[in-house]
Amino acid sequence: MVEPAPTACACCGGSRLRKLGEDVTETLEVIPRQWKVIQHVREKFTCRDCEKISQAPAPFHVTARGWAGPSLLAMILFEKFGQHQPLNRQAERYAKEGVPLSLSTLADQVGAGCAALEPLIRRIEAHVFAAPRLHGDDTTVPVLAKGKTDTGRCWVYVRDDRPFGEPAPPAAMFYYSRDRGGEHPQAHLAKYSGLFQADAYGGYNKLYQPDRQPGPILEAACWVHARRPFFIMADVAENARRKARGSTTAVISPLALEAVRRIDALFEIERTINGETAERRRAVRQELSAPLVAALESWMRESRAKLSRGNDLAKAMDYMLKRWTAFTRFLDDGRICLSNNAAERALRGIALGRKSWLFAGSDRGGQRAAAMYSLIVTAKMNDVDPQAWLADVLARIAGHPAHRLDDLLPWNWRPLSRVANSQAA
């Protein structure tokens, strides 16, 4: 927008003006989104020879005889599961924009969208469990029950081979369950064998049995979980904040400080080899990390002998010493990470969203949420805009050849407009 130029001098009123330059002032503004109804007119023709009626096929809708276009459906799904906006809030906002949609209508669209995307979810599942190494974790999901909420669980299994330089795309697979029974991860991993990085949850123990079929699962423990209790007992920064507020400072354990210092030295080495090949990572660990780990074990066993059984520091040391084989497995395998942060990052959205949506309405709602988290988190891990990807996939999936379904996965996806341009060229 160009403002009208002055025609006379503001000082003397003279008209002999010459341009010296210009100044540009930028203002950020928003254009409210527009809603539109697209009408597809399909003319009918009758044959005068055989009297058969001919007509173009109806446009595809995810819901049979439905009304929601792919972009609208993608927005509803991403707002609910990616931006943690419950359907009732979406309905209120749409009504204010002149589009009244009932809560039940939106819920039907969510169910239809999940059903349409089911083939892609199964492809992601197969890709995740084909990995030689998995990250696993779970978090709570409140579920509506009679007069209360039950504590359900959302489980995640993450494939991320980037730390050891493999080209396989990252992906995450989520599952929902009503409780935290060990039978759930055992069912999820029933056909899996390989490395499994997780916390020390007892429900995983049957997975690590040596005679397990179809093959053994090797446990790789998380050093971040092990470091956490030591860090709490040696939180110098928190004590400084307490002192500044005039609060009573906690006693800092010198043994906890020493444990944190020794574990941090291992993570410092890991930062230098992140993204290197598994062989290179193993070689560096054997040279630099192995002596530090051996020294840590000796120091920890010596210090543990001086502590009582109920001491918090003793409990933190026992957590590691009882699982020392799992904690030190990374020294002999460059594919293993020191932390389980990949799984915890995948669950972060659920932890943030719980404050917004409060609870899942039913077990079916929890299962739909797990399915959509699998799609959205996988898209984000591959640097793909989830809403744009969902909109494009929903527009194409009905007519897409089944044998080329992998083309629609986030790491292979190209927008339809880009595909058309490449074919035209």
Side-chain angles (χ1 to χ4, degrees), residues 26-73:
E26 294 184 346
T27 302
L28 182 63
E29 188 54 277
V30 62
I31 300 175
R33 64 184 173 197
Q34 296 178 343
W35 296 78
K36 61 181 179 181
V37 176
I38 301 174
Q39 293 183 336
H40 296 265
V41 179
R42 301 181 295 124
E43 296 180 321
K44 294 181 180 180
F45 289 86
T46 181
C47 178
R48 292 188 175 182
D49 295 328
C50 66
E51 297 185 354
K52 183 177 179 62
I53 297 175
S54 300
Q55 186 180 31
F60 169 74
H61 287 105
V62 173
T63 307
R65 298 182 299 277
W67 49 268
S71 294
L72 173 57
L73 183 55

mmCIF file of all heavy atoms in Angstrom, residues 26-73:
data_model
loop_
_atom_site.group_PDB
_atom_site.id
_atom_site.type_symbol
_atom_site.label_atom_id
_atom_site.label_comp_id
_atom_site.label_asym_id
_atom_site.label_seq_id
_atom_site.Cartn_x
_atom_site.Cartn_y
_atom_site.Cartn_z
ATOM 1 N N GLU A 26 6.063 -1.391 8.299
ATOM 2 C CA GLU A 26 5.412 -2.696 8.184
ATOM 3 C C GLU A 26 4.422 -2.899 9.329
ATOM 4 O O GLU A 26 4.730 -2.633 10.488
ATOM 5 C CB GLU A 26 6.444 -3.825 8.194
ATOM 6 C CG GLU A 26 7.357 -3.811 6.972
ATOM 7 C CD GLU A 26 8.314 -4.997 6.969
ATOM 8 O OE1 GLU A 26 8.434 -5.647 8.029
ATOM 9 O OE2 GLU A 26 8.930 -5.259 5.934
ATOM 10 N N THR A 27 3.233 -3.388 8.990
ATOM 11 C CA THR A 27 2.195 -3.693 9.967
ATOM 12 C C THR A 27 1.724 -5.128 9.756
ATOM 13 O O THR A 27 1.312 -5.484 8.653
ATOM 14 C CB THR A 27 0.999 -2.733 9.814
ATOM 15 O OG1 THR A 27 1.462 -1.380 9.969
ATOM 16 C CG2 THR A 27 -0.066 -3.025 10.864
ATOM 17 N N LEU A 28 1.834 -5.943 10.786
ATOM 18 C CA LEU A 28 1.370 -7.327 10.691
ATOM 19 C C LEU A 28 -0.135 -7.357 10.920
ATOM 20 O O LEU A 28 -0.635 -6.827 11.911
ATOM 21 C CB LEU A 28 2.078 -8.195 11.733
ATOM 22 C CG LEU A 28 1.733 -9.686 11.716
ATOM 23 C CD1 LEU A 28 2.165 -10.318 10.401
ATOM 24 C CD2 LEU A 28 2.398 -10.392 12.887
ATOM 25 N N GLU A 29 -0.854 -7.957 9.996
ATOM 26 C CA GLU A 29 -2.300 -8.014 10.078
ATOM 27 C C GLU A 29 -2.759 -9.432 9.768
ATOM 28 O O GLU A 29 -1.989 -10.242 9.254
ATOM 29 C CB GLU A 29 -2.915 -7.018 9.074
ATOM 30 C CG GLU A 29 -4.423 -6.830 9.186
ATOM 31 C CD GLU A 29 -4.895 -6.460 10.566
ATOM 32 O OE1 GLU A 29 -5.067 -7.392 11.366
ATOM 33 O OE2 GLU A 29 -5.082 -5.267 10.839
ATOM 34 N N VAL A 30 -3.968 -9.742 10.113
ATOM 35 C CA VAL A 30 -4.513 -11.068 9.856
ATOM 36 C C VAL A 30 -5.791 -10.940 9.044
ATOM 37 O O VAL A 30 -6.581 -10.017 9.255
ATOM 38 C CB VAL A 30 -4.785 -11.825 11.184
ATOM 39 C CG1 VAL A 30 -5.812 -11.092 12.030
ATOM 40 C CG2 VAL A 30 -5.246 -13.260 10.925
ATOM 41 N N ILE A 31 -5.962 -11.861 8.088
ATOM 42 C CA ILE A 31 -7.186 -11.926 7.305
ATOM 43 C C ILE A 31 -7.994 -13.101 7.833
ATOM 44 O O ILE A 31 -7.531 -14.238 7.789
ATOM 45 C CB ILE A 31 -6.883 -12.118 5.805
ATOM 46 C CG1 ILE A 31 -6.040 -10.940 5.295
ATOM 47 C CG2 ILE A 31 -8.171 -12.255 5.002
ATOM 48 C CD1 ILE A 31 -5.585 -11.097 3.864
ATOM 49 N N PRO A 32 -9.177 -12.878 8.380
ATOM 50 C CA PRO A 32 -9.969 -13.991 8.917
ATOM 51 C C PRO A 32 -10.203 -15.070 7.858
ATOM 52 O O PRO A 32 -10.373 -14.771 6.670
ATOM 53 C CB PRO A 32 -11.291 -13.329 9.327
ATOM 54 C CG PRO A 32 -10.938 -11.889 9.524
ATOM 55 C CD PRO A 32 -9.857 -11.589 8.528
ATOM 56 N N ARG A 33 -10.156 -16.330 8.298
ATOM 57 C CA ARG A 33 -10.341 -17.414 7.340
ATOM 58 C C ARG A 33 -11.756 -17.384 6.780
ATOM 59 O O ARG A 33 -12.694 -16.904 7.420
ATOM 60 C CB ARG A 33 -10.050 -18.759 7.986
ATOM 61 C CG ARG A 33 -11.001 -19.130 9.107
ATOM 62 C CD ARG A 33 -10.563 -20.431 9.743
ATOM 63 N NE ARG A 33 -11.359 -20.745 10.920
ATOM 64 C CZ ARG A 33 -10.996 -21.617 11.824
ATOM 65 N NH1 ARG A 33 -9.848 -22.252 11.707
ATOM 66 N NH2 ARG A 33 -11.759 -21.871 12.877
ATOM 67 N N GLN A 34 -11.892 -17.938 5.608
ATOM 68 C CA GLN A 34 -13.175 -17.940 4.916
ATOM 69 C C GLN A 34 -13.705 -19.366 4.821
ATOM 70 O O GLN A 34 -12.942 -20.317 4.639
ATOM 71 C CB GLN A 34 -13.028 -17.355 3.506
ATOM 72 C CG GLN A 34 -12.617 -15.892 3.494
ATOM 73 C CD GLN A 34 -12.445 -15.371 2.087
ATOM 74 O OE1 GLN A 34 -12.326 -16.145 1.145
ATOM 75 N NE2 GLN A 34 -12.446 -14.058 1.936
ATOM 76 N N TRP A 35 -14.985 -19.511 4.968
ATOM 77 C CA TRP A 35 -15.648 -20.786 4.781
ATOM 78 C C TRP A 35 -16.381 -20.741 3.449
ATOM 79 O O TRP A 35 -16.927 -19.705 3.061
ATOM 80 C CB TRP A 35 -16.661 -21.041 5.905
ATOM 81 C CG TRP A 35 -16.044 -21.165 7.261
ATOM 82 C CD1 TRP A 35 -15.614 -20.156 8.053
ATOM 83 C CD2 TRP A 35 -15.800 -22.373 7.988
ATOM 84 N NE1 TRP A 35 -15.107 -20.642 9.232
ATOM 85 C CE2 TRP A 35 -15.225 -22.013 9.220
ATOM 86 C CE3 TRP A 35 -16.029 -23.713 7.729
ATOM 87 C CZ2 TRP A 35 -14.855 -22.949 10.179
ATOM 88 C CZ3 TRP A 35 -15.673 -24.651 8.678
ATOM 89 C CH2 TRP A 35 -15.086 -24.265 9.885
ATOM 90 N N LYS A 36 -16.405 -21.857 2.765
ATOM 91 C CA LYS A 36 -17.137 -21.886 1.500
ATOM 92 C C LYS A 36 -17.756 -23.268 1.296
ATOM 93 O O LYS A 36 -17.247 -24.282 1.789
ATOM 94 C CB LYS A 36 -16.226 -21.544 0.321
ATOM 95 C CG LYS A 36 -15.057 -22.498 0.107
ATOM 96 C CD LYS A 36 -14.219 -22.040 -1.078
ATOM 97 C CE LYS A 36 -13.020 -22.972 -1.298
ATOM 98 N NZ LYS A 36 -12.189 -22.537 -2.432
ATOM 99 N N VAL A 37 -18.868 -23.257 0.606
ATOM 100 C CA VAL A 37 -19.549 -24.491 0.235
ATOM 101 C C VAL A 37 -19.295 -24.727 -1.244
ATOM 102 O O VAL A 37 -19.628 -23.878 -2.082
ATOM 103 C CB VAL A 37 -21.063 -24.403 0.510
ATOM 104 C CG1 VAL A 37 -21.757 -25.677 0.028
ATOM 105 C CG2 VAL A 37 -21.331 -24.180 1.990
ATOM 106 N N ILE A 38 -18.669 -25.847 -1.554
ATOM 107 C CA ILE A 38 -18.366 -26.196 -2.944
ATOM 108 C C ILE A 38 -19.470 -27.112 -3.457
ATOM 109 O O ILE A 38 -19.706 -28.183 -2.899
ATOM 110 C CB ILE A 38 -16.996 -26.893 -3.045
ATOM 111 C CG1 ILE A 38 -15.901 -25.970 -2.500
ATOM 112 C CG2 ILE A 38 -16.699 -27.280 -4.491
ATOM 113 C CD1 ILE A 38 -14.540 -26.636 -2.436
ATOM 114 N N GLN A 39 -20.161 -26.692 -4.489
ATOM 115 C CA GLN A 39 -21.232 -27.488 -5.078
ATOM 116 C C GLN A 39 -20.716 -28.182 -6.340
ATOM 117 O O GLN A 39 -20.196 -27.534 -7.249
ATOM 118 C CB GLN A 39 -22.434 -26.618 -5.429
ATOM 119 C CG GLN A 39 -23.141 -26.022 -4.214
ATOM 120 C CD GLN A 39 -24.367 -25.218 -4.603
ATOM 121 O OE1 GLN A 39 -24.467 -24.727 -5.722
ATOM 122 N NE2 GLN A 39 -25.305 -25.078 -3.673
ATOM 123 N N HIS A 40 -20.823 -29.483 -6.363
ATOM 124 C CA HIS A 40 -20.457 -30.276 -7.532
ATOM 125 C C HIS A 40 -21.745 -30.625 -8.284
ATOM 126 O O HIS A 40 -22.578 -31.390 -7.789
ATOM 127 C CB HIS A 40 -19.730 -31.562 -7.122
ATOM 128 C CG HIS A 40 -18.411 -31.316 -6.449
ATOM 129 N ND1 HIS A 40 -17.217 -31.322 -7.128
ATOM 130 C CD2 HIS A 40 -18.110 -31.055 -5.145
ATOM 131 C CE1 HIS A 40 -16.237 -31.081 -6.279
ATOM 132 N NE2 HIS A 40 -16.743 -30.910 -5.079
ATOM 133 N N VAL A 41 -21.910 -30.038 -9.435
ATOM 134 C CA VAL A 41 -23.105 -30.287 -10.246
ATOM 135 C C VAL A 41 -22.813 -31.447 -11.194
ATOM 136 O O VAL A 41 -21.900 -31.380 -12.024
ATOM 137 C CB VAL A 41 -23.511 -29.031 -11.052
ATOM 138 C CG1 VAL A 41 -24.741 -29.322 -11.906
ATOM 139 C CG2 VAL A 41 -23.765 -27.866 -10.098
ATOM 140 N N ARG A 42 -23.581 -32.520 -11.069
ATOM 141 C CA ARG A 42 -23.378 -33.722 -11.886
ATOM 142 C C ARG A 42 -24.607 -33.926 -12.775
ATOM 143 O O ARG A 42 -25.658 -34.354 -12.308
ATOM 144 C CB ARG A 42 -23.127 -34.937 -10.993
ATOM 145 C CG ARG A 42 -21.908 -34.782 -10.101
ATOM 146 C CD ARG A 42 -21.664 -36.009 -9.229
ATOM 147 N NE ARG A 42 -22.746 -36.203 -8.271
ATOM 148 C CZ ARG A 42 -23.456 -37.310 -8.171
ATOM 149 N NH1 ARG A 42 -23.239 -38.317 -9.011
ATOM 150 N NH2 ARG A 42 -24.422 -37.417 -7.276
ATOM 151 N N GLU A 43 -24.468 -33.583 -14.012
ATOM 152 C CA GLU A 43 -25.585 -33.695 -14.941
ATOM 153 C C GLU A 43 -25.873 -35.151 -15.274
ATOM 154 O O GLU A 43 -24.961 -35.981 -15.371
ATOM 155 C CB GLU A 43 -25.278 -32.920 -16.225
ATOM 156 C CG GLU A 43 -25.118 -31.422 -16.003
ATOM 157 C CD GLU A 43 -24.806 -30.687 -17.290
ATOM 158 O OE1 GLU A 43 -24.024 -31.239 -18.093
ATOM 159 O OE2 GLU A 43 -25.340 -29.592 -17.501
ATOM 160 N N LYS A 44 -27.155 -35.447 -15.440
ATOM 161 C CA LYS A 44 -27.599 -36.778 -15.811
ATOM 162 C C LYS A 44 -27.980 -36.805 -17.291
ATOM 163 O O LYS A 44 -28.599 -35.863 -17.799
ATOM 164 C CB LYS A 44 -28.809 -37.204 -14.977
ATOM 165 C CG LYS A 44 -28.546 -37.385 -13.499
ATOM 166 C CD LYS A 44 -29.814 -37.831 -12.791
ATOM 167 C CE LYS A 44 -29.571 -38.009 -11.299
ATOM 168 N NZ LYS A 44 -30.827 -38.450 -10.612
ATOM 169 N N PHE A 45 -27.601 -37.878 -17.939
ATOM 170 C CA PHE A 45 -27.961 -38.058 -19.346
ATOM 171 C C PHE A 45 -28.582 -39.444 -19.513
ATOM 172 O O PHE A 45 -28.130 -40.417 -18.894
ATOM 173 C CB PHE A 45 -26.738 -37.923 -20.250
ATOM 174 C CG PHE A 45 -26.219 -36.519 -20.349
ATOM 175 C CD1 PHE A 45 -25.313 -36.029 -19.411
ATOM 176 C CD2 PHE A 45 -26.653 -35.674 -21.370
ATOM 177 C CE1 PHE A 45 -24.843 -34.733 -19.489
ATOM 178 C CE2 PHE A 45 -26.176 -34.381 -21.449
ATOM 179 C CZ PHE A 45 -25.270 -33.905 -20.514
ATOM 180 N N THR A 46 -29.596 -39.509 -20.332
ATOM 181 C CA THR A 46 -30.224 -40.792 -20.631
ATOM 182 C C THR A 46 -29.957 -41.156 -22.086
ATOM 183 O O THR A 46 -29.925 -40.303 -22.974
ATOM 184 C CB THR A 46 -31.740 -40.741 -20.385
ATOM 185 O OG1 THR A 46 -32.302 -42.018 -20.666
ATOM 186 C CG2 THR A 46 -32.419 -39.676 -21.234
ATOM 187 N N CYS A 47 -29.713 -42.417 -22.302
ATOM 188 C CA CYS A 47 -29.423 -42.906 -23.660
ATOM 189 C C CYS A 47 -30.744 -43.191 -24.396
ATOM 190 O O CYS A 47 -31.601 -43.936 -23.884
ATOM 191 C CB CYS A 47 -28.570 -44.173 -23.574
ATOM 192 S SG CYS A 47 -28.209 -44.904 -25.186
ATOM 193 N N ARG A 48 -30.929 -42.626 -25.575
ATOM 194 C CA ARG A 48 -32.157 -42.827 -26.332
ATOM 195 C C ARG A 48 -32.218 -44.205 -26.982
ATOM 196 O O ARG A 48 -33.272 -44.624 -27.457
ATOM 197 C CB ARG A 48 -32.298 -41.746 -27.403
ATOM 198 C CG ARG A 48 -32.539 -40.365 -26.816
ATOM 199 C CD ARG A 48 -32.861 -39.341 -27.884
ATOM 200 N NE ARG A 48 -33.202 -38.056 -27.297
ATOM 201 C CZ ARG A 48 -33.562 -36.982 -28.003
ATOM 202 N NH1 ARG A 48 -33.620 -37.068 -29.336
ATOM 203 N NH2 ARG A 48 -33.858 -35.842 -27.401
ATOM 204 N N ASP A 49 -31.057 -44.873 -26.969
ATOM 205 C CA ASP A 49 -31.054 -46.218 -27.554
ATOM 206 C C ASP A 49 -31.428 -47.271 -26.516
ATOM 207 O O ASP A 49 -32.283 -48.129 -26.764
ATOM 208 C CB ASP A 49 -29.682 -46.542 -28.148
ATOM 209 C CG ASP A 49 -29.364 -45.635 -29.333
ATOM 210 O OD1 ASP A 49 -30.311 -45.249 -30.040
ATOM 211 O OD2 ASP A 49 -28.174 -45.335 -29.530
ATOM 212 N N CYS A 50 -30.769 -47.230 -25.332
ATOM 213 C CA CYS A 50 -31.014 -48.261 -24.312
ATOM 214 C C CYS A 50 -31.672 -47.728 -23.050
ATOM 215 O O CYS A 50 -31.956 -48.488 -22.123
ATOM 216 C CB CYS A 50 -29.706 -48.960 -23.936
ATOM 217 S SG CYS A 50 -28.514 -47.882 -23.107
ATOM 218 N N GLU A 51 -31.881 -46.429 -22.995
ATOM 219 C CA GLU A 51 -32.533 -45.762 -21.866
ATOM 220 C C GLU A 51 -31.737 -45.854 -20.558
ATOM 221 O O GLU A 51 -32.283 -45.636 -19.481
ATOM 222 C CB GLU A 51 -33.954 -46.322 -21.651
ATOM 223 C CG GLU A 51 -34.878 -46.087 -22.818
ATOM 224 C CD GLU A 51 -36.291 -46.537 -22.519
ATOM 225 O OE1 GLU A 51 -36.507 -47.130 -21.435
ATOM 226 O OE2 GLU A 51 -37.174 -46.291 -23.366
ATOM 227 N N LYS A 52 -30.460 -46.183 -20.643
ATOM 228 C CA LYS A 52 -29.616 -46.206 -19.444
ATOM 229 C C LYS A 52 -29.220 -44.781 -19.091
ATOM 230 O O LYS A 52 -28.922 -43.965 -19.965
ATOM 231 C CB LYS A 52 -28.373 -47.059 -19.675
ATOM 232 C CG LYS A 52 -27.478 -47.191 -18.449
ATOM 233 C CD LYS A 52 -26.302 -48.099 -18.719
ATOM 234 C CE LYS A 52 -25.400 -48.199 -17.511
ATOM 235 N NZ LYS A 52 -26.073 -48.768 -16.335
ATOM 236 N N ILE A 53 -29.189 -44.484 -17.772
ATOM 237 C CA ILE A 53 -28.826 -43.148 -17.285
ATOM 238 C C ILE A 53 -27.338 -43.108 -16.980
ATOM 239 O O ILE A 53 -26.803 -43.999 -16.301
ATOM 240 C CB ILE A 53 -29.638 -42.775 -16.041
ATOM 241 C CG1 ILE A 53 -31.131 -42.704 -16.394
ATOM 242 C CG2 ILE A 53 -29.159 -41.446 -15.452
ATOM 243 C CD1 ILE A 53 -32.014 -42.449 -15.200
ATOM 244 N N SER A 54 -26.666 -42.084 -17.475
ATOM 245 C CA SER A 54 -25.226 -41.903 -17.233
ATOM 246 C C SER A 54 -25.015 -40.622 -16.431
ATOM 247 O O SER A 54 -25.673 -39.604 -16.670
ATOM 248 C CB SER A 54 -24.459 -41.815 -18.557
ATOM 249 O OG SER A 54 -24.630 -42.996 -19.316
ATOM 250 N N GLN A 55 -24.059 -40.695 -15.484
ATOM 251 C CA GLN A 55 -23.771 -39.537 -14.639
ATOM 252 C C GLN A 55 -22.353 -39.683 -14.079
ATOM 253 O O GLN A 55 -21.885 -40.788 -13.797
ATOM 254 C CB GLN A 55 -24.771 -39.440 -13.486
ATOM 255 C CG GLN A 55 -24.639 -38.189 -12.640
ATOM 256 C CD GLN A 55 -25.652 -38.164 -11.514
ATOM 257 O OE1 GLN A 55 -26.048 -39.200 -10.987
ATOM 258 N NE2 GLN A 55 -26.094 -36.965 -11.141
ATOM 259 N N ALA A 56 -21.661 -38.558 -13.905
ATOM 260 C CA ALA A 56 -20.325 -38.592 -13.309
ATOM 261 C C ALA A 56 -20.420 -39.072 -11.853
ATOM 262 O O ALA A 56 -21.422 -38.811 -11.180
ATOM 263 C CB ALA A 56 -19.708 -37.196 -13.356
ATOM 264 N N PRO A 57 -19.408 -39.786 -11.368
ATOM 265 C CA PRO A 57 -19.452 -40.262 -9.977
ATOM 266 C C PRO A 57 -19.423 -39.098 -8.991
ATOM 267 O O PRO A 57 -18.873 -38.027 -9.269
ATOM 268 C CB PRO A 57 -18.204 -41.136 -9.851
ATOM 269 C CG PRO A 57 -17.286 -40.642 -10.927
ATOM 270 C CD PRO A 57 -18.168 -40.182 -12.049
ATOM 271 N N ALA A 58 -20.017 -39.326 -7.830
ATOM 272 C CA ALA A 58 -20.033 -38.296 -6.791
ATOM 273 C C ALA A 58 -18.634 -38.099 -6.232
ATOM 274 O O ALA A 58 -17.831 -39.042 -6.197
ATOM 275 C CB ALA A 58 -20.996 -38.695 -5.665
ATOM 276 N N PRO A 59 -18.291 -36.895 -5.790
ATOM 277 C CA PRO A 59 -16.966 -36.662 -5.197
ATOM 278 C C PRO A 59 -16.813 -37.456 -3.904
ATOM 279 O O PRO A 59 -17.788 -37.740 -3.210
ATOM 280 C CB PRO A 59 -16.956 -35.155 -4.935
ATOM 281 C CG PRO A 59 -18.387 -34.767 -4.853
ATOM 282 C CD PRO A 59 -19.113 -35.675 -5.796
ATOM 283 N N PHE A 60 -15.574 -37.811 -3.608
ATOM 284 C CA PHE A 60 -15.299 -38.630 -2.421
ATOM 285 C C PHE A 60 -15.435 -37.803 -1.149
ATOM 286 O O PHE A 60 -14.958 -36.671 -1.063
ATOM 287 C CB PHE A 60 -13.883 -39.199 -2.502
ATOM 288 C CG PHE A 60 -13.414 -39.822 -1.214
ATOM 289 C CD1 PHE A 60 -13.917 -41.049 -0.802
ATOM 290 C CD2 PHE A 60 -12.501 -39.164 -0.402
ATOM 291 C CE1 PHE A 60 -13.491 -41.620 0.382
ATOM 292 C CE2 PHE A 60 -12.068 -39.734 0.785
ATOM 293 C CZ PHE A 60 -12.570 -40.968 1.177
ATOM 294 N N HIS A 61 -16.107 -38.382 -0.170
ATOM 295 C CA HIS A 61 -16.115 -37.852 1.180
ATOM 296 C C HIS A 61 -15.695 -38.971 2.120
ATOM 297 O O HIS A 61 -16.044 -40.140 1.902
ATOM 298 C CB HIS A 61 -17.499 -37.333 1.594
ATOM 299 C CG HIS A 61 -17.876 -36.047 0.941
ATOM 300 N ND1 HIS A 61 -18.800 -35.969 -0.086
ATOM 301 C CD2 HIS A 61 -17.439 -34.784 1.148
ATOM 302 C CE1 HIS A 61 -18.930 -34.713 -0.473
ATOM 303 N NE2 HIS A 61 -18.110 -33.966 0.256
ATOM 304 N N VAL A 62 -14.946 -38.606 3.160
ATOM 305 C CA VAL A 62 -14.493 -39.623 4.100
ATOM 306 C C VAL A 62 -15.677 -40.331 4.734
ATOM 307 O O VAL A 62 -15.684 -41.544 4.918
ATOM 308 C CB VAL A 62 -13.592 -38.971 5.178
ATOM 309 C CG1 VAL A 62 -13.240 -39.985 6.257
ATOM 310 C CG2 VAL A 62 -12.330 -38.427 4.533
ATOM 311 N N THR A 63 -16.726 -39.573 5.082
ATOM 312 C CA THR A 63 -17.948 -40.145 5.608
ATOM 313 C C THR A 63 -18.900 -40.414 4.455
ATOM 314 O O THR A 63 -19.066 -39.558 3.585
ATOM 315 C CB THR A 63 -18.611 -39.187 6.605
ATOM 316 O OG1 THR A 63 -17.667 -38.812 7.598
ATOM 317 C CG2 THR A 63 -19.797 -39.840 7.287
ATOM 318 N N ALA A 64 -19.519 -41.572 4.453
ATOM 319 C CA ALA A 64 -20.493 -41.881 3.404
ATOM 320 C C ALA A 64 -21.603 -40.830 3.404
ATOM 321 O O ALA A 64 -22.153 -40.503 4.456
ATOM 322 C CB ALA A 64 -21.082 -43.276 3.646
ATOM 323 N N ARG A 65 -21.887 -40.295 2.217
ATOM 324 C CA ARG A 65 -22.868 -39.203 2.058
ATOM 325 C C ARG A 65 -22.521 -38.036 2.972
ATOM 326 O O ARG A 65 -23.388 -37.352 3.517
ATOM 327 C CB ARG A 65 -24.293 -39.705 2.339
ATOM 328 C CG ARG A 65 -24.764 -40.779 1.393
ATOM 329 C CD ARG A 65 -26.187 -41.215 1.680
ATOM 330 N NE ARG A 65 -26.309 -41.760 3.020
ATOM 331 C CZ ARG A 65 -26.013 -43.026 3.330
ATOM 332 N NH1 ARG A 65 -25.575 -43.849 2.392
ATOM 333 N NH2 ARG A 65 -26.151 -43.460 4.567
ATOM 334 N N GLY A 66 -21.225 -37.820 3.144
ATOM 335 C CA GLY A 66 -20.771 -36.785 4.067
ATOM 336 C C GLY A 66 -20.710 -35.414 3.437
ATOM 337 O O GLY A 66 -21.114 -35.195 2.295
ATOM 338 N N TRP A 67 -20.169 -34.490 4.203
ATOM 339 C CA TRP A 67 -20.172 -33.089 3.781
ATOM 340 C C TRP A 67 -18.818 -32.413 3.985
ATOM 341 O O TRP A 67 -18.561 -31.354 3.428
ATOM 342 C CB TRP A 67 -21.214 -32.320 4.585
ATOM 343 C CG TRP A 67 -21.086 -32.577 6.064
ATOM 344 C CD1 TRP A 67 -21.733 -33.537 6.777
ATOM 345 C CD2 TRP A 67 -20.209 -31.911 6.980
ATOM 346 N NE1 TRP A 67 -21.331 -33.519 8.099
ATOM 347 C CE2 TRP A 67 -20.397 -32.519 8.243
ATOM 348 C CE3 TRP A 67 -19.301 -30.870 6.864
ATOM 349 C CZ2 TRP A 67 -19.683 -32.120 9.375
ATOM 350 C CZ3 TRP A 67 -18.598 -30.467 7.994
ATOM 351 C CH2 TRP A 67 -18.801 -31.090 9.236
ATOM 352 N N ALA A 68 -17.935 -32.991 4.791
ATOM 353 C CA ALA A 68 -16.674 -32.326 5.141
ATOM 354 C C ALA A 68 -15.614 -32.581 4.078
ATOM 355 O O ALA A 68 -15.347 -33.733 3.713
ATOM 356 C CB ALA A 68 -16.180 -32.820 6.500
ATOM 357 N N GLY A 69 -15.014 -31.502 3.596
ATOM 358 C CA GLY A 69 -13.914 -31.623 2.661
ATOM 359 C C GLY A 69 -12.631 -32.026 3.363
ATOM 360 O O GLY A 69 -12.522 -31.947 4.588
ATOM 361 N N PRO A 70 -11.607 -32.443 2.619
ATOM 362 C CA PRO A 70 -10.372 -32.928 3.240
ATOM 363 C C PRO A 70 -9.641 -31.876 4.062
ATOM 364 O O PRO A 70 -9.085 -32.186 5.117
ATOM 365 C CB PRO A 70 -9.527 -33.395 2.046
ATOM 366 C CG PRO A 70 -10.128 -32.729 0.851
ATOM 367 C CD PRO A 70 -11.574 -32.572 1.158
ATOM 368 N N SER A 71 -9.649 -30.629 3.616
ATOM 369 C CA SER A 71 -8.959 -29.584 4.384
ATOM 370 C C SER A 71 -9.662 -29.302 5.702
ATOM 371 O O SER A 71 -9.016 -29.101 6.736
ATOM 372 C CB SER A 71 -8.866 -28.292 3.555
ATOM 373 O OG SER A 71 -8.031 -28.474 2.432
ATOM 374 N N LEU A 72 -11.006 -29.299 5.688
ATOM 375 C CA LEU A 72 -11.757 -29.090 6.920
ATOM 376 C C LEU A 72 -11.536 -30.254 7.879
ATOM 377 O O LEU A 72 -11.304 -30.058 9.077
ATOM 378 C CB LEU A 72 -13.246 -28.927 6.609
ATOM 379 C CG LEU A 72 -14.190 -28.866 7.822
ATOM 380 C CD1 LEU A 72 -13.803 -27.731 8.758
ATOM 381 C CD2 LEU A 72 -15.637 -28.747 7.380
ATOM 382 N N LEU A 73 -11.597 -31.466 7.365
ATOM 383 C CA LEU A 73 -11.411 -32.635 8.221
ATOM 384 C C LEU A 73 -9.992 -32.656 8.794
ATOM 385 O O LEU A 73 -9.801 -32.967 9.982
ATOM 386 C CB LEU A 73 -11.685 -33.903 7.418
ATOM 387 C CG LEU A 73 -11.599 -35.218 8.198
ATOM 388 C CD1 LEU A 73 -12.516 -35.189 9.414
ATOM 389 C CD2 LEU A 73 -11.953 -36.391 7.293
#
